[in-house]
Amino acid sequence: MDNSYVRDGSGSVTDILPHTPGASSPIATASGRTSALSTRITSVLSTSYADLDLRDALETLDIRGFTNTQDSRRNLRLDLQQEVIQCNGEIIKAFGQVAEQLRRIGSVIESLNKRCADMRAHISASKEEVGLVVAEGNEILAQKSQIETKQQILQAFKTHFVISDDEVASLTSSSEPVNDEFFRVMAKVKKINQDSEVLLGTENEKLGLEILDQSSKQLNAAYQKLYRWIQKDFKTLDLENPQISSSIRRSLRVLAERPALFQSCMDFFAEAREHNLSDSFHAALTGGPGADTYGKPIEFHAHDPLRYVGDMLAWAHSAAVSEREALEVLFIAEGDELAKGIKAGIDADPWSRRDVGEQEEVYDGRNALNELVNRDLAGVARLLRQRTEQVISSHEDATLAYKIANLISFYRNTFEKLIGVGSTFLETLDTLESSAQRQFRANMRDHVASIQAELSVTPTNASPPDFLHECFETLRALMKSYDTSYAASKVGEEAFQLVLQEALDPFLKACESLSKRMSPPLSDMFMVNCILQAKMTLAPYSFVASKQAELDKILDQCSKNLIEIQYEFFVDNSGLEPIFDAIFSLADSKEDLAKIPGLEVFQPSALMAASQQLDEFLPSALMDAMDHLKQLESPVTVRNITEAAAEKFCADFEIVESKLIAADKLEEGRDGKENEPEYEKPRLRDLFPRTSDEIRVLLS
């Protein structure tokens, strides 16, 4: 460093001035130095000691232990440069070592790069060799995954669509029982059969057809096994055993999906039950094996036909009720399940499907129950018909035949409520009822024919004939039987009119025929007695009201005839017949009234004789008239007829009385205008003094 601006410790200015060697002139030198010095001083003074670089430089000098001497200031630059050169040399030396190390590192890196290249080559070669193996391994793994998936699918397929040999044996083998396992396997095969249809719409159509065919064969074999098992169980079926009934109900619900087998099974059951009930009924009739040990055989009472027929009908009704109650659990409680099964079977069978527009037949459990009970009773109906027809045809009592008909009618209505309308058992009862009615009519006609001999003899009195009394006894029994029957409350009069036509009308006609050969008043009294007896017989029963009305008409006509006869009796025995004839032949005009005194019957002698005869007749007239009808069996009727005739007689007498009074007045008026007669002519009323009031009192 040429110049130093650092002062020493004395602080003199000269110490800090630069020493310039070779100065030529002291003045010039002095002036030059002064100028340079001032410049330096100015520079030093203008220097800011707050500058960080300056402070760092001063601190560095302080650290180096720099002494502010002239030599040190003179050598400071050199020292610093030398130090810098040394430092640079050390740095260069250090960098040389670094360069050497870098060369070594470069060689190492080059060696490493070479080795890496070799490794890359080896790796590429290995990769090419391993790539085929890896690709093959990946392919194998993919195949393994596919195989595992297919295995799972196969396992699921076998689980769903394939049944084991044990399950096949349980389903189709006749040695295996029909139990819960059978129904479980059958339900599984049904599911397989339904789901196999899904496969028909996929690429596995052949597999679907094979499974469908196999499952269909298995189902058919299962239904056949179930059908045979039910038939076998039906042979020894105890309808009172609920455990067996539960098993049979379940089997029939399943078998209902095959309507043909179900119907065949029902036919077999009906046939088996028909034989069982027929045997039981025969045992109950004869007291054979299987009969009730606590009661007597029904045929023990065969001597009493009505009880015999009633016991047979009661047994049939009891059997029908028991049969229905036992089968109601199947057909009523589970009728919906059977209906669903039958509908499913019809839908699955193309031959059972109905044409378009044809009404679908709905399964009705109650109708099926009624039909089955009816078929079960077919054998009982045959035996019942044979026995009942034998009873009906072997008795000639019309009343018995009619009672049997009413009894059969009662049970027919009972069975109609129990097993419905249109059953063959009801047809059997209808036939028996018609047979009993025919037998009743035949017996009544035979009885009417048997009385023809009595009709040839004309009665000598007015008493009803014996055959009519027998008729009334029969009619009472018939009406009593009908009154307690079901028809009386439902049909009323209509049904019994046919009975009256057979049991009453022919006998009344016979009485009418007899009366025509009798002379009055005996004929009328005879008919009145017969009609009154008939009315008394019919009176307790309201269902013969129309017949009562018919008899009233006949009775009124006969009563009118008797009233007329009694009236004639009063007129004849009172001696007033000529007077009545004369009066009633005249009109009410003055000319006719004026003729009355001149008539022969109104001459004093004739009129007095008539008055005398009337006075003699009146005291006993009523008793004599009633005695005239003494053959009438009803005193009330005798009195009523006699009083009616007396009333008519009194009414006619009033007319006669009024005309006689009118004739007297007319005669008196005419005599007053003429001259006084030689003698006074008696009045008609004086000759015939009886008044209508007096006669009415005497005849009352």
Side-chain angles (χ1 to χ4, degrees):
M1 187 176 209
D2 294 335
N3 296 317
S4 177
Y5 300 96
V6 181
R7 297 179 180 176
D8 58 7
S10 64
S12 64
V13 176
T14 59
D15 291 337
I16 62 174
L17 291 177
H19 296 280
T20 305
S24 60
S25 174
I27 298 171
T29 302
S31 59
R33 289 180 179 177
T34 303
S35 176
L37 180 61
S38 60
T39 301
R40 291 192 178 211
I41 291 172
T42 302
S43 176
V44 171
L45 292 175
S46 62
T47 300
S48 176
Y49 292 98
D51 188 7
L52 294 178
D53 292 336
L54 181 59
R55 292 179 64 183
D56 290 338
L58 293 176
E59 288 178 357
T60 301
L61 291 175
D62 187 53
I63 292 171
R64 291 173 61 89
F66 178 75
T67 58
N68 190 10
T69 63
Q70 186 175 2
D71 291 335
S72 60
R73 287 195 301 271
R74 187 181 299 119
N75 294 325
L76 178 60
R77 182 183 297 272
L78 294 176
D79 293 338
L80 291 174
Q81 289 178 350
Q82 185 178 359
E83 187 175 348
V84 169
I85 291 171
Q86 289 177 355
C87 289
N88 289 338
E90 292 177 357
I91 290 171
I92 291 171
K93 184 178 180 180
F95 271 105
Q97 294 176 355
V98 171
E100 184 64 25
Q101 292 294 330
L102 289 175
R103 283 194 297 272
R104 291 178 181 176
I105 291 173
S107 62
V108 172
I109 290 173
E110 184 178 358
S111 176
L112 289 175
N113 288 334
K114 184 177 180 181
R115 291 183 180 180
C116 286
D118 293 340
M119 290 178 68
R120 287 192 189 95
H122 287 296
I123 289 172
S124 298
S126 300
K127 187 176 181 180
E128 291 178 359
E129 294 177 359
V130 175
L132 297 176
V133 178
V134 171
E136 185 177 357
N138 291 334
E139 185 177 355
I140 292 174
L141 290 175
Q143 291 177 356
K144 178 183 178 183
S145 177
Q146 292 178 357
I147 291 173
E148 289 177 350
T149 303
K150 290 181 179 180
Q151 188 175 7
Q152 292 176 357
I153 294 174
L154 178 61
Q155 184 63 31
F157 182 85
K158 289 175 63 178
T159 303
H160 190 77
F161 286 98
V162 179
I163 60 176
S164 64
D165 294 338
D166 293 339
E167 290 177 332
V168 173
S170 174
L171 189 65
T172 60
S173 177
S174 58
S175 61
E176 295 293 332
V178 176
N179 50 19
D180 293 339
E181 178 65 16
F182 171 84
F183 291 110
R184 184 191 66 79
V185 176
M186 192 173 189
K188 182 178 180 180
V189 175
K190 288 181 185 178
K191 181 66 174 174
I192 292 173
N193 186 268
Q194 293 174 358
D195 293 344
S196 62
E197 297 178 358
V198 179
L199 299 176
L200 299 178
T202 64
E203 59 184 8
N204 298 318
E205 181 178 357
K206 182 178 179 181
L207 177 61
L209 289 173
E210 292 178 356
I211 294 176
L212 182 63
D213 181 64
Q214 183 180 5
S215 61
S216 298
K217 291 180 179 178
Q218 291 171 347
L219 279 178
N220 290 334
Y223 280 117
Q224 289 293 334
K225 175 184 176 180
L226 186 62
Y227 169 69
R228 291 190 297 271
W229 180 84
I230 293 176
Q231 282 188 327
K232 180 181 178 182
D233 207 43
F234 272 163
K235 293 180 180 179
T236 58
L237 176 63
D238 181 9
L239 293 176
E240 302 299 329
N241 189 339
Q243 185 65 32
I244 296 179
S245 297
S246 175
S247 175
I248 292 177
R249 290 200 307 272
R250 184 177 183 182
S251 301
L252 288 176
R253 285 200 307 270
V254 176
L255 192 64
E257 297 178 9
R258 290 292 188 272
L261 294 178
F262 178 78
Q263 187 59 43
S264 177
C265 201
M266 289 295 98
D267 294 340
F268 181 84
F269 173 76
E271 184 178 353
R273 292 303 301 166
E274 178 186 350
H275 289 310
N276 290 340
L277 290 177
S278 297
D279 294 341
S280 299
F281 185 48
H282 187 270
L285 287 172
T286 60
D292 185 4
T293 57
Y294 297 100
K296 296 179 180 179
I298 296 177
E299 290 187 348
F300 184 81
H301 303 286
H303 63 280
D304 185 355
L306 191 61
R307 179 175 179 180
Y308 179 50
V309 174
D311 288 347
M312 289 191 293
L313 290 171
W315 191 97
H317 178 261
S318 176
V321 171
S322 300
E323 199 80 3
R324 182 182 178 86
E325 289 177 352
L327 296 176
E328 269 185 349
V329 180
L330 172 63
F331 289 95
I332 303 302
E334 303 186 10
D336 293 340
E337 297 296 330
L338 290 177
K340 291 178 182 178
I342 291 176
K343 187 177 185 304
I346 293 175
D347 293 340
D349 187 3
W351 303 106
S352 300
R353 295 175 184 171
R354 297 183 177 273
D355 297 334
V356 178
E358 188 175 359
Q359 185 177 4
E360 182 179 358
E361 183 178 355
V362 180
Y363 176 81
D364 189 343
R366 193 170 297 277
N367 289 339
L369 172 62
N370 292 339
E371 182 180 355
L372 186 58
V373 173
N374 175 59
R375 294 177 62 183
D376 295 347
L377 295 174
V380 176
R382 287 193 296 270
L383 289 174
L384 178 65
R385 181 173 181 175
Q386 293 173 0
R387 297 293 201 282
T388 306
E389 286 182 344
Q390 183 179 3
V391 170
I392 293 173
S393 60
S394 61
H395 291 80
E396 298 180 357
D397 187 358
T399 304
L400 176 62
Y402 185 74
K403 288 181 178 180
I404 292 176
N406 279 340
L407 181 63
I408 296 173
S409 176
F410 168 76
Y411 275 100
R412 178 178 57 80
N413 288 286
T414 303
F415 274 100
E416 183 176 332
K417 298 177 182 178
L418 183 64
I419 60 178
V421 182
S423 62
T424 55
F425 193 85
L426 287 180
E427 292 177 0
T428 300
L429 294 181
D430 287 336
T431 302
L432 291 176
E433 183 181 1
S434 300
S435 177
Q437 293 284 3
R438 284 195 304 271
Q439 186 66 28
F440 162 72
R441 290 191 293 269
N443 292 343
M444 290 304 303
R445 289 168 185 171
D446 291 343
H447 184 57
V448 171
S450 67
I451 66 173
Q452 295 301 318
E454 299 182 30
L455 298 180
S456 61
V457 180
T458 303
T460 58
N461 54 46
S463 298
D466 293 337
F467 68 81
L468 190 61
H469 288 292
E470 295 176 1
C471 164
F472 292 152
E473 289 297 327
T474 301
L475 188 60
R476 288 189 188 95
L478 296 177
M479 289 189 295
K480 183 178 180 180
S481 175
Y482 182 80
D483 188 46
T484 58
S485 68
Y486 178 82
S489 60
K490 294 296 181 181
V491 183
E493 298 185 27
E494 298 178 4
F496 201 73
Q497 291 301 318
L498 300 176
V499 178
L500 293 176
Q501 292 175 6
E502 300 291 341
L504 180 62
D505 291 351
F507 298 95
L508 292 180
K509 289 179 180 179
C511 293
E512 185 178 357
S513 177
L514 288 176
S515 68
K516 290 180 180 179
R517 298 202 300 268
M518 301 167 67
S519 58
L522 187 62
S523 61
D524 292 311
M525 287 189 289
F526 176 77
M527 284 304 298
V528 168
N529 287 335
C530 294
I531 297 300
L532 287 176
Q533 286 288 336
K535 285 178 62 63
M536 289 176 60
T537 303
L538 300 177
Y541 303 100
S542 60
F543 53 83
V544 290
S546 59
K547 193 64 179 179
Q548 289 270 32
E550 294 179 11
L551 295 178
D552 286 337
K553 293 179 181 179
I554 300 174
L555 183 62
D556 290 343
Q557 184 60 43
C558 294
S559 297
K560 288 179 181 179
N561 295 338
L562 290 176
I563 290 172
E564 191 64 29
I565 291 173
Q566 287 293 79
Y567 171 77
E568 292 176 358
F569 175 81
F570 282 120
V571 173
D572 291 342
N573 288 276
S574 64
L576 299 180
E577 183 177 4
I579 296 176
F580 281 8
D581 292 341
I583 290 295
F584 292 131
S585 64
L586 299 175
D588 293 336
S589 63
K590 292 182 178 181
E591 291 78 7
D592 287 345
L593 292 176
K595 295 177 182 179
I596 291 177
L599 296 176
E600 183 179 356
V601 295
F602 291 103
Q603 297 304 313
S605 59
L607 195 58
M608 291 176 64
S611 177
Q612 181 65 30
Q613 185 177 353
L614 177 62
D615 291 340
E616 293 175 355
F617 169 72
L618 286 176
S620 61
L622 188 62
M623 296 301 297
D624 293 341
M626 294 178 66
D627 188 63
H628 188 240
L629 300 179
K630 62 182 179 180
Q631 294 197 43
L632 283 177
E633 295 180 350
S634 173
V636 176
T637 304
V638 173
R639 177 170 291 278
N640 291 337
I641 292 174
T642 304
E643 289 179 353
E647 180 63 26
K648 183 178 180 181
F649 178 78
C650 292
D652 289 348
F653 189 84
E654 287 180 358
I655 297 174
V656 171
E657 181 184 12
S658 63
K659 288 190 176 183
L660 291 178
I661 294 173
D664 284 340
K665 289 181 179 180
L666 186 62
E667 187 68 23
E668 290 175 357
R670 188 171 57 182
D671 291 343
K673 295 178 181 180
E674 297 178 355
N675 296 327
E676 289 292 333
E678 296 179 356
Y679 63 93
E680 185 179 355
K681 188 177 181 180
R683 295 186 305 168
L684 296 177
R685 289 298 295 159
D686 294 337
L687 299 174
F688 196 79
R690 284 290 183 183
T691 65
S692 59
D693 292 336
E694 293 174 346
I695 292 178
R696 195 179 298 276
V697 170
L698 291 172
L699 293 181
S700 61

